[in-house]
Amino acid sequence: MGWICSILGGLNASLTRSHLYHLSYVSPGCHCAHFSQQFDVDTLFFIFYYQQGTYQQYLAARELKKKAWRFHKKYFTWFQRHEEPKVTTDDYEQGTYLYFDYALKDYETGWCQRIKTDFTFEYQYLEDELQ
């Protein structure tokens, strides 16, 4: 459970589920839905976490989902299967996942992809409202 605390430790305290896709601001010159398709994954993560409440955040989230990343609502982070799950039920799947560690505590840790083995991804925490 320590890895969860390290992830959440760097999260802006004002981030809540309602902020994730609430569109309140669209930056000038960034209205095109194709805008986010040109970015690599690291840039999409930056846009998602640092342009909260904007149309760009929505586009970054949509693009991350196209790249097989899945947002976990409990941990406020993105996961991607590293391999096929070892266990799959109607309620969860368990296996090895990549996750994006957005916590920036110093310049040597955080803001990178990490591997989590034997992780249980409960489907109740899967963000599935974004199309």
Side-chain angles (χ1 to χ4, degrees), residues 35-96:
F35 173 76
S36 60
Q37 294 174 354
Q38 64 187 340
F39 297 124
D40 63 18
V41 174
D42 289 330
T43 303
L44 293 171
F45 286 132
F46 179 83
I47 293 167
F48 181 82
Y49 287 108
Y50 283 93
Q51 293 189 7
Q52 296 175 19
T54 66
Y55 184 58
Q56 290 73 31
Q57 182 191 35
Y58 166 80
L59 292 176
R62 190 175 72 181
E63 202 61 33
L64 286 165
K65 286 190 82 166
K66 287 180 186 177
K67 296 177 186 293
W69 287 91
R70 300 154 51 168
F71 189 74
H72 196 291
K73 297 184 288 188
K74 181 177 178 183
Y75 302 134
F76 295 106
T77 197
W78 292 88
F79 285 81
Q80 185 182 65
R81 288 177 178 162
H82 186 60
E83 59 191 23
E84 286 301 310
K86 294 177 182 167
V87 177
T88 303
T89 71
D90 290 340
D91 298 321
Y92 67 89
E93 60 187 52
Q94 186 176 28
T96 302

